[in-house]
Amino acid sequence: MAAECLPPSLLILGLAVSVACAGSLYPRDSESRVVKTLDGMWDFRADYSNSRNDSFQHSWWSQPLSASGDVMPMPVPSSYNDIYNDKALRDFVGWVWYETQFFVPSDWRDQRVMLRLGSAHYYSVVWVNGQEVMRHDGGHLPFEGEVNSAVNFNGPNRLTVAVNNTLLATTLPPGSLSFHGGAKYPPHYFVQNVQMDFFNYAGIHRHVHLYVTPRVYVDDVTITTSINGNNGEVNYTITLGGSSGDSPPGVEISVEDRDGNTVTSHPVTSLTGTVEVNNARFWWPWTMKPSDPGYMYTLKVNVSTGDVYRQMFGIRTVQATDSQLLINSKPFYCLGVAKHEDADIRGKGLDYPLIARDFVMIKWLGANCFRTSHYPYSEEMMDQADQQGVVVIDESPAVGIKKAENFGAVSLSHHKDVMTELVQRDKNRPSVVMWSVANEPSSNMHQAEPYFKDVIQHTRQLDPTRPITFATMHAASDDRVVQFVDVISINRYYGWYTDTGHTEVIQGHLSDDLKSWRNKHHDKPILITEYGADTIAGMHEEPSFVFTEEYQTDFMSEYHKTFDTYRAQYLVGEMVWNFADFMTVEGETVSRHS
């Protein structure tokens, strides 16, 4: 990892760890690249010591994990919390350890061997054969490193991963620990306090890949597009890694259509340039062009030293005006949902059948967009959004930034690092039309103004082609951050969290709310990123009563009447909370939220 990617070390339960930045290109097989998955049943154990630090004091990574004590099988990818009938493991906070064995083909010896984890929550340290190869700070995003110096090409290799799910004031999402003593509590008792309303699932949540590239390789590809009449203009920047000696390698690029046909191809004299696609098929949301949604092209990069990489992209433009959200210069109205990325047993673990079913249900609802509330979703989920023409508001894991201590310099640096990783991962996706830097922060606090001004400016520098937003729960009169965004996103629960049971007040409250935002920020469109009422399926009562299906129907009807009024003016979307049930922390009011 590059030295400039190393922010200050931070302390977790007594262990200081340095963290490193991540790669971006998804591992793909090609003529020059081979990808292996290391998914499967791994050995697993948790460090239940009072300090949660015995595993490091006794160097669990230095020998097979089973030598440190009893291990149990754990599926990767998955959250570890719900696999076993064990409350202590379900609610565990601290270091957990994973281990598996793999082999590296001998013909990979002279190439670049990379190890990539798609996501692990939230701090990760990785060893190969007892040699540390990388560390990463944060969940939901991929990280990788070269492992040539650590692997054995003539026999088995031992891969060890330690993951810590502790949430502190400077993490994203933030949290805190409460330590309790005295006779009323067990010895060394502590509790993880979360500042978000969903369960703190943890573990290795996405694919673990081992892949190989030539020594001179395609390190990054950035694609932006514009439209000129019937033609598409594809702007590309290619970054090469490795050394090829005194003369730079030659590079040829080609654009292939959905069927693999080459539509343009030529050698390039510069790694930054533009190619034109005549009579292009543009990327459209499925509700705007049902006959041909989500059309994807492929940019093939061929390096003369041997590497080949293919990057999918769509030709589309996005723009926020003072009253509209435009895709390909046509108004787009978001009929959307907020989601979560969890399910029974696997927690937040990657699950292809669940992804497929989610998109079936999204389209069955007539929805054309979703927000990745409240963290980046898997690359496999995002692939389907690209290919099926579903619009995405791509949100960072900055949920629950509520307290003054969450706005410090360490938090700001980490937040900017996370946005860098998110933009780097998803910048080429046509489905992503907006970046969301946070959900429901205390944007009324004076500390929030300089903090989010910096985060938003940083994100805009990373990607000036997409609008930026965040979801606010505050009023136009006291929000200090909306001034910096391109689209105003508001979460509102009139008739539920306020005036509970009184659907007759919804239209008046919501209409007044929208007008107040428009009066203060008249140059920005407004998006309702959350509204909804908790409902128990199959519960009925007439006249309607809270938690019944009838109340949800009455509730939604009142919101929809207001939406229909302002849709013709400056409202650009409505996103119901929530698409499906999700797991929350244990409490007297909620244990699953819908």
Side-chain angles (χ1 to χ4, degrees):
M1 296 297 177
E4 61 269 19
C5 294
L6 300 176
S9 63
L10 46 123
L11 191 69
I12 303 182
L13 297 179
L15 178 70
V17 295
S18 296
V19 292
C21 66
S24 61
L25 293 182
Y26 191 82
R28 302 185 192 280
D29 280 320
S30 74
E31 296 85 339
S32 62
R33 298 182 175 215
V34 179
V35 181
K36 293 178 59 175
T37 177
L38 303 185
D39 298 354
M41 299 299 287
W42 292 34
D43 286 344
F44 174 91
R45 69 174 307 208
D47 181 351
Y48 284 104
S49 63
N50 293 329
S51 67
R52 296 296 198 266
N53 205 29
D54 279 6
S55 52
F56 281 87
Q57 293 174 352
H58 293 96
S59 305
W60 283 8
W61 66 86
S62 64
Q63 56 187 334
L65 190 59
S66 59
S68 66
D70 293 336
V71 297
M72 58 182 70
M74 185 62 68
V76 172
S78 76
S79 301
Y80 61 74
N81 308 81
D82 293 343
I83 301 299
Y84 287 87
N85 185 25
D86 183 349
K87 185 174 182 179
L89 183 58
R90 184 195 69 191
D91 299 335
F92 182 79
V93 177
W95 290 103
V96 298
W97 292 74
Y98 290 82
E99 185 180 275
T100 193
Q101 187 179 94
F102 66 94
F103 291 84
V104 181
S106 58
D107 58 0
W108 287 18
R109 184 186 304 273
D110 297 325
Q111 302 186 77
R112 175 174 166 263
V113 181
M114 300 295 294
L115 177 66
R116 186 185 198 261
L117 283 78
S119 169
H121 287 189
Y122 279 92
Y123 289 85
S124 304
V125 189
V126 183
W127 297 262
V128 173
N129 298 324
Q131 178 180 329
E132 184 180 323
V133 293
M134 56 182 159
R135 302 185 178 201
H136 185 253
D137 176 7
H140 309 286
L141 291 165
F143 55 102
E144 65 178 15
E146 185 176 336
V147 295
N148 288 68
S149 62
V151 298
N152 176 14
F153 291 93
N154 298 311
N157 292 273
R158 180 167 47 87
L159 171 58
T160 309
V161 182
V163 181
N164 193 310
N165 65 336
T166 308
L167 301 179
L168 301 174
T170 56
T171 60
L172 287 182
S176 63
L177 297 176
S178 295
F179 294 86
H180 301 279
K184 294 185 294 184
Y185 292 95
H188 310 285
Y189 186 79
F190 71 93
V191 175
Q192 171 75 77
N193 305 304
V194 298
Q195 294 169 211
M196 73 273 195
D197 64 349
F198 54 93
F199 191 76
N200 186 25
Y201 278 118
I204 301 176
H205 285 157
R206 296 173 190 160
H207 290 308
V208 180
H209 285 126
L210 190 74
Y211 70 97
V212 65
T213 76
R215 279 296 176 183
V216 178
Y217 57 93
V218 179
D219 187 50
D220 192 26
V221 178
T222 302
I223 299 171
T224 62
T225 60
S226 56
I227 294 174
N228 182 13
N230 293 325
N231 300 334
E233 295 180 349
V234 181
N235 311 299
Y236 63 86
T237 298
I238 300 165
T239 303
L240 300 182
S243 173
S244 60
D246 296 333
S247 59
V251 175
E252 181 177 77
I253 65 168
S254 56
V255 175
E256 299 172 348
D257 66 17
R258 181 186 284 169
D259 298 321
N261 302 308
T262 299
V263 296
T264 181
S265 178
H266 58 84
V268 298
T269 56
S270 171
L271 296 181
T272 299
T274 301
V275 295
E276 189 162 8
V277 177
N278 296 323
N279 297 313
R281 295 170 71 174
F282 303 140
W283 188 94
W284 291 99
W286 76 275
T287 51
M288 295 181 74
K289 193 171 184 181
S291 62
D292 192 22
Y295 193 90
M296 300 292 290
Y297 288 92
T298 298
L299 182 73
K300 177 183 176 183
V301 182
N302 196 330
V303 184
S304 61
T305 50
D307 197 20
V308 178
Y309 189 81
R310 292 172 173 84
Q311 176 63 56
M312 296 183 70
F313 69 96
I315 298 174
R316 69 103 181 90
T317 61
V318 60
Q319 179 189 2
T321 71
D322 64 347
S323 59
Q324 292 180 317
L325 181 62
L326 305 177
I327 294 179
N328 302 338
S329 300
K330 295 186 180 297
F332 172 76
Y333 188 81
C334 171
L335 290 167
V337 295
K339 288 181 86 279
H340 267 292
E341 196 180 41
D342 68 4
D344 290 341
I345 303 175
R346 76 275 296 157
K348 290 193 184 299
L350 176 69
D351 187 295
Y352 284 107
L354 190 64
I355 291 172
R357 181 63 172 174
D358 278 359
F359 277 93
V360 169
M361 296 303 293
I362 284 170
K363 290 189 171 182
W364 177 78
L365 287 170
N368 58 15
C369 65
F370 64 85
R371 177 170 58 122
T372 68
S373 46
H374 299 298
Y375 39 80
Y377 290 177
S378 71
E379 290 158 288
E380 293 76 13
M381 180 81 176
M382 302 295 283
D383 285 345
Q384 290 303 302
D386 286 339
Q387 295 166 28
Q388 297 198 37
V390 177
V391 167
V392 178
I393 299 171
D394 210 351
E395 187 160 275
S396 85
V399 54
I401 302 179
K402 303 290 189 184
K403 303 176 181 180
E405 56 263 34
N406 304 144
F407 291 100
V410 174
S411 296
L412 176 60
S413 177
H414 179 50
H415 199 155
K416 290 164 69 175
D417 287 342
V418 169
M419 292 310 303
T420 298
E421 291 186 19
L422 176 58
V423 173
Q424 185 74 2
R425 192 194 75 163
D426 290 344
K427 61 187 175 182
N428 295 323
R429 297 188 177 280
S431 62
V432 176
V433 302
M434 207 180 309
W435 304 112
S436 173
V437 300
N439 179 73
E440 295 186 351
S442 293
S443 51
N444 59 333
M445 295 175 62
H446 67 87
Q447 297 97 326
E449 188 169 346
Y451 178 98
F452 278 104
K453 180 180 181 181
D454 199 346
V455 170
I456 291 168
Q457 286 180 342
H458 174 74
T459 307
R460 188 166 281 119
Q461 289 170 357
L462 293 169
D463 179 17
T465 71
R466 290 177 175 90
I468 297 173
T469 192
F470 78 100
T472 182
M473 61 184 293
H474 293 284
S477 58
D478 64 358
D479 190 291
R480 296 171 176 264
V481 178
V482 160
Q483 60 179 308
F484 305 120
V485 302
D486 304 298
V487 176
I488 300 169
S489 297
I490 60 176
N491 298 346
R492 291 298 183 262
Y493 291 95
Y494 302 118
W496 187 250
Y497 291 126
T498 62
D499 295 302
T500 308
H502 294 282
T503 57
E504 68 274 10
V505 308
I506 290 173
Q507 288 192 56
H509 279 292
L510 183 58
S511 181
D512 182 72
D513 193 0
L514 292 170
K515 290 176 181 177
S516 67
W517 281 108
R518 189 63 175 178
N519 290 337
K520 186 171 184 179
H521 301 282
H522 56 82
D523 59 340
K524 304 177 193 290
I526 300 174
L527 173 65
I528 305 294
T529 36
E530 290 183 23
Y531 73 103
D534 286 3
T535 304
I536 299 173
M539 184 174 179
H540 297 278
E541 187 166 336
E542 286 288 359
S544 68
F545 200 80
V546 291
F547 290 102
T548 66
E549 292 186 17
E550 287 78 12
Y551 186 79
Q552 186 183 58
T553 300
D554 292 347
F555 177 98
M556 303 279 277
S557 296
E558 294 303 306
Y559 275 84
H560 291 166
K561 292 172 186 176
T562 309
F563 295 158
D564 290 345
T565 298
Y566 292 93
R567 178 174 177 172
Q569 301 177 45
Y570 46 78
L571 186 67
V572 296
E574 57 198 72
M575 309 184 81
V576 68
W577 187 269
N578 187 281
F579 171 73
D581 287 356
F582 60 93
M583 189 67 172
T584 70
V585 296
E586 249 183 319
E588 71 277 4
T589 56
V590 290
S591 59
R592 278 196 178 272
H593 220 29
S594 59

